[in-house]
Amino acid sequence: MPATTPTVVFDVGNVLIRWDPLLVYRELIPDDEKRAWFMRNVCTAAWNLEQDRGRSWEEAVALLVASHPEWESQIRAYDERWHDAVPGIIEDSVAVLAELRERGEKVYAITNFSREKWAECLIRFPFLQSFDGVVVSAHERVVKPDPEIYQILFERYGLVAGDCIFIDDSAKNIETARKLGMQAVHFVEPIDLRLELRKLGVAT
């Protein structure tokens, strides 16, 4: 039987908490062209994703420092100043999460996150401990948009894709969710999350 109210599944980064490494690198590499080159060729999105897949930050930093010793301090900053790239919460989204919890709704999360930073964020942002279930990519060694990480959520917590609404800032992650049968909200600011959820049958 379908759920009476759809179950909301949140992404975390740039849905509930803000994350932008340029907050660090605009300071460390003031020159726009040099900074852009560094982000494309040294601390790349693909390199960062491997930490989300389970590689340790110690190994990740060591690999890059060996390849780009001239950038050692800037590479180490990605790890050591990671929290400077996370300035705080996205207040409206966190309020929606709290309201769902207060009403007794089940809420879940699927997030691409490194093991170390996730543990730190559970302390820094205690509301991340309020989910009924969380699938963290580094713990599973699989990252969105791989369908496997969504299937882990469904199987582990007894959820049906068609009963779920997934909220994520990545178009690729949203595409996979919809292919699997989930309803979805592509979280791109400015957005009225309450309105988008109401359209899909969630009272907010």
Side-chain angles (χ1 to χ4, degrees):
M1 294 292 290
T4 302
T5 301
T7 299
V8 179
V9 181
F10 288 85
D11 176 31
V12 175
N14 289 325
V15 170
L16 292 167
I17 63 174
R18 298 192 185 281
W19 175 74
D20 182 359
L22 291 179
L23 294 175
V24 173
Y25 286 102
R26 287 192 190 100
E27 173 191 336
L28 294 182
I29 312 174
D31 182 272
D32 291 346
E33 290 187 9
K34 287 183 179 178
R35 184 174 62 251
W37 185 92
F38 176 86
M39 302 304 289
R40 285 196 311 269
N41 295 282
V42 185
C43 287
T44 65
W47 169 80
N48 180 65
L49 191 64
E50 292 308 305
Q51 285 74 272
D52 290 349
R53 203 188 305 274
R55 179 172 64 187
S56 73
W57 276 99
E58 181 180 9
E59 180 184 356
V61 168
L63 284 170
L64 276 195
V65 169
S67 299
H68 302 279
E70 71 279 15
W71 291 103
E72 179 172 359
S73 64
Q74 292 88 349
I75 292 167
R76 293 192 181 283
Y78 207 110
D79 174 25
E80 295 169 357
R81 294 190 56 185
W82 189 90
H83 284 278
D84 291 341
V86 181
I89 66 171
I90 299 176
E91 293 184 2
D92 186 61
S93 300
V94 174
V96 169
L97 170 62
E99 290 161 14
L100 292 169
R101 293 289 299 148
E102 287 166 7
R103 288 211 308 270
E105 303 286 353
K106 298 281 190 180
V107 287
Y108 298 89
I110 304 175
T111 183
N112 284 355
F113 232 102
S114 72
R115 184 181 299 272
E116 300 97 323
K117 304 311 181 190
W118 179 251
E120 293 167 11
C121 281
L122 288 177
I123 297 169
R124 182 178 169 192
F125 303 107
F127 75 87
L128 293 175
Q129 301 181 46
S130 70
F131 293 104
D132 293 280
V134 181
V135 177
V136 178
S137 62
H139 298 169
E140 312 300 333
R141 295 191 173 272
V142 59
V143 296
K144 295 177 292 183
D146 190 321
E148 182 182 350
I149 197 168
Y150 301 79
Q151 296 292 353
I152 290 170
L153 178 85
F154 303 148
E155 293 168 13
R156 183 170 296 164
Y157 299 110
L159 300 175
V160 175
D163 293 341
C164 296
I165 299 171
F166 184 53
I167 306 167
D168 199 294
D169 65 308
S170 163
K172 289 182 179 180
N173 298 345
I174 289 294
E175 181 181 0
T176 297
R178 287 178 172 150
K179 284 181 178 178
L180 292 172
M182 303 173 87
Q183 299 185 86
V185 174
H186 188 195
F187 191 93
V188 178
E189 295 182 286
I191 184 172
D192 185 336
L193 183 57
R194 289 178 176 80
L195 175 60
E196 296 302 319
L197 290 175
R198 281 198 296 271
K199 290 177 183 176
L200 298 175
V202 177
T204 56

